[in-house]
Amino acid sequence: MARKYFGTDGIRGRTNASAMTPEMAMKVGQAAGAHFLRGAHKHRVVIGKDTRLSGYMIENALVAGFTSVGMDVVQFGPIPTPAVALLTRSMRADLGVMISASHNPYEDNGIKLFGPDGFKLSDADEIAIEALLDQPAKLANAPDVGRARRIEDSRGRYIHAIKASVPEHIRFDGLHVVLDCAHGAAYQVAPTAIWELGAKVTPIGVNPNGKNINDKVGSTYVSTLQETVVSAGADIGIALDGDADRLIVVDEKGRVVDGDQIMALLGTAMSRAGKLTGDGIVATVMSNLGLERYLESQHLKLVRAKVGDRYVLEEMRNHGINVGGEQSGHMILLDHATTGDGTIAALQVLAQLVESGKPASEVLHLFDPVPQLLKNVRFAGGKPLENSMVQAVIAEAEAELAGKGRLVIRPSGTEPVIRVMAEGDDAAQVEKLVDAICDAVKAAAA
C-alpha cells in the first residue's frame, strides 16, 4: 500500500510547508495515541527531540494530541533518537516519539515513532496510524484526559546505559577524542559519556541555537573535524548527526572512516570474542564490495538489505545477526540498542582502539574499498527504468561487470531521482558504465 505521510523513517518535511505543521503533529498524536490505547491501564508516551527551533512547536502539538485521547506524556527535552528508544522500553511506555529530521537542515523536522519494545514501528502499525489520520479523533472524556510532565534525569539515565556497553576493565585514559555533536541532540550526553570513561574530549558542535544543527558540522560535514583532529594532535575524531543515530570517524591523520570500515572492525572483533551471532553482518546494497570481500576472508557473510536502517534491522532480526549498519554511518548493535546509536558505536570503536594499543589509522583500515561511483539523474515524470533502451544498457553493464563488480540502480523514495551506482576493480570502467546508464535514463526521461 502506498504511503501518504510515512516515509522510510517516519514523517518528515519542511516546517510549516509540508506535513510538518502543528495541526498535523496534533493529528499524529491523536492517531498514534488511539492506535496504542490497549487495555484498561493508564497509557504513557515518552517524547524526545533534537535542537531545531521548530521542535518546541511540534512537541507542544504532539502533547495536545496525545493528552486529548487520554495518554499521559513524559517529555525528555533534547536527547538522541536511540535514547528515546531505550527509555521507551525501560520506562514501560506504550509508545515513544522522537522529533527530528536527523541530518537535514534546521528548516526541516520529522516525527519518528517507537513501539513499547523500543523498535521502530512496523509497516502495519504505520499504515493503521495513517488511516486514523484522515478520520475524526475519538477524544477522551473530560475526566480521562491525559497529563504531561517533564523529567530532568533522562540524559543521565541514557549516559548510564550506554556506558554499560563498554566492558568494565576498559578505560579511555590517555585517549584524546575530538567529538563533533552537530549542534544536535547529543551535545550534552556524548561528551559526558566519553569523558566519564576517562578520555580527554575536545568538543565541537555543542552550542545549539535552534538554527545551526548540522550547519557545517556533524557526520555529513567533517572538514572541521578533520582539521581539528590534526591540529590538536588527537587520537581520533568522531562526528555524530543531528539526532545521533549515526557516526563517521576520522583517524589521527585526518582521513575519513565510513560505516563500512566501522562495521568491519566491530563485526570481526565480536567474532573473535565469540559474541557475533549469525556468522556475519547486515549492510545495505550501497556498501562497498571491498567490505564483502574482506568479510569473506574472515569466513563471515554479508547480508545486504534495502537502503534504510529499518530494513537493515529487519534483515538482522530475520537472520539472527546482532551487527548491522549503513555506509553512511548508521550502526545497529542489537546487544546494546534497538536502533542505530552513534554514541554506542563510538564507544565500541574507542574500546577497540584501547585494546589494540594501535593508532586509529591502523585499527580502522581493514580493507581497501573498490572504486565506487554514484550519480543521480533527476527526471520530470514517467518511469524511465521501464524504458526498453534503458533496460538494454543496464543489461550490458551487468554483463560487463559480472564476477568483478556490482551495479545498483534504484529510484529515490523521496524525490524524482534515479540513483545509479556501480563498483568494480577498474575505476575507468565503472565511470564509463555509470555515465552510459545515466545518459540512457536522461534520454528516456526527455
Side-chain angles (χ1 to χ4, degrees), residues 50-112:
D50 64 21
T51 56
R52 59 193 79 218
L53 180 63
S54 58
Y56 296 98
M57 177 182 79
I58 300 299
E59 180 183 29
N60 287 328
L62 281 167
V63 170
F66 283 118
T67 54
S68 73
V69 297
M71 285 192 113
D72 286 344
V73 179
V74 177
Q75 296 162 266
F76 295 145
I79 198 167
T81 289
V84 172
L86 183 151
L87 293 170
T88 299
R89 187 165 58 173
S90 71
M91 293 182 67
R92 309 298 192 270
D94 299 278
L95 184 63
V97 182
M98 179 65 183
I99 304 165
S100 175
S102 190
H103 57 280
N104 287 26
Y106 87 91
E107 293 93 343
D108 293 345
N109 216 330
I111 298 171
K112 304 180 185 183

Side-chain angles (χ1 to χ4, degrees), residues 161-167 170 172 194 197 236 238 247 262 265-266 269-270 275 331 333 335-336 341-355 363-364:
I162 63 174
K163 284 170 56 184
S165 71
V166 179
I170 292 179
F172 298 162
I194 295 172
L197 287 167
I236 193 170
I238 295 165
L247 83 161
I262 298 169
L265 171 67
L266 299 184
M270 289 179 64
K275 296 180 179 179
M331 292 293 125
L333 304 173
D335 290 354
H336 308 297
D341 192 322
T343 310
I344 281 183
L347 296 181
Q348 307 315 305
V349 169
L350 294 175
Q352 290 304 312
L353 214 58
V354 169
E355 290 208 306
V363 174
L364 286 161

Side-chain angles (χ1 to χ4, degrees), residues 107-363:
E107 293 93 343
D108 293 345
N109 216 330
I111 298 171
K112 304 180 185 183
L113 302 175
F114 294 89
D117 57 0
F119 288 95
K120 290 180 180 178
L121 297 191
S122 67
D123 288 343
D125 281 325
E126 289 186 348
I127 290 169
I129 291 169
E130 279 208 345
L132 291 172
L133 284 172
D134 293 326
Q135 299 176 14
K138 185 177 180 181
L139 301 178
N141 294 323
D144 300 322
V145 168
R147 299 175 181 271
R149 59 176 291 195
R150 291 188 178 273
I151 63 171
E152 301 301 326
D153 67 341
S154 57
R155 288 183 288 274
R157 296 186 192 195
Y158 176 65
I159 290 169
H160 176 76
I162 63 174
K163 284 170 56 184
S165 71
V166 179
E168 288 189 3
H169 70 279
I170 292 179
R171 293 182 56 88
F172 298 162
D173 297 343
L175 279 184
H176 182 184
V177 181
V178 179
L179 179 62
D180 181 351
C181 295
H183 298 306
Y187 78 100
Q188 293 175 312
V189 296
T192 301
I194 295 172
W195 173 79
E196 287 186 3
L197 287 167
K200 174 185 176 181
V201 179
T202 297
I204 57 179
V206 290
N207 297 293
N209 62 16
K211 297 183 178 181
N212 60 357
I213 188 170
N214 301 315
D215 184 12
K216 297 182 180 178
V217 285
S219 62
T220 56
Y221 187 96
V222 295
S223 299
T224 304
L225 178 64
Q226 291 173 289
E227 294 168 4
T228 307
V229 167
V230 174
S231 63
D235 297 295
I236 193 170
I238 295 165
L240 304 173
D241 68 337
D243 68 335
D245 64 351
R246 69 164 83 177
L247 83 161
I248 292 293
V249 175
V250 170
D251 68 21
E252 82 282 1
K253 298 178 180 179
R255 296 186 301 187
V256 175
V257 179
D258 67 11
D260 286 349
Q261 296 282 1
I262 298 169
M263 284 186 282
L265 171 67
L266 299 184
T268 51
M270 289 179 64
S271 177
R272 289 193 299 271
K275 296 180 179 179
L276 183 69
T277 60
D279 296 321
I281 68 172
V282 177
T284 76
V285 293
M286 302 305 290
S287 277
N288 194 274
L289 182 60
L291 170 62
E292 187 170 351
R293 291 173 176 174
Y294 171 73
L295 292 174
E296 288 174 353
S297 75
Q298 303 299 307
H299 307 292
L300 299 172
K301 64 186 178 185
L302 176 65
V303 177
R304 292 190 183 269
K306 292 191 295 184
V307 173
D309 62 324
R310 67 181 295 167
Y311 300 115
V312 171
L313 178 58
E314 184 178 292
E315 291 298 328
M316 291 173 69
R317 298 177 83 177
N318 288 341
H319 291 270
I321 292 173
N322 57 349
V323 175
E326 295 188 274
Q327 191 181 61
S328 61
H330 281 116
M331 292 293 125
I332 305 175
L333 304 173
L334 280 181
D335 290 354
H336 308 297
T338 56
T339 190
D341 192 322
T343 310
I344 281 183
L347 296 181
Q348 307 315 305
V349 169
L350 294 175
Q352 290 304 312
L353 214 58
V354 169
E355 290 208 306
S356 71
K358 298 177 181 178
S361 55
E362 292 185 30
V363 174

Side-chain angles (χ1 to χ4, degrees), residues 33 36-45 70-73 94:
F36 279 89
L37 286 174
R38 301 166 182 175
H41 67 281
K42 190 62 177 176
H43 291 71
R44 176 188 298 162
V45 57
M71 285 192 113
D72 286 344
V73 179
D94 299 278

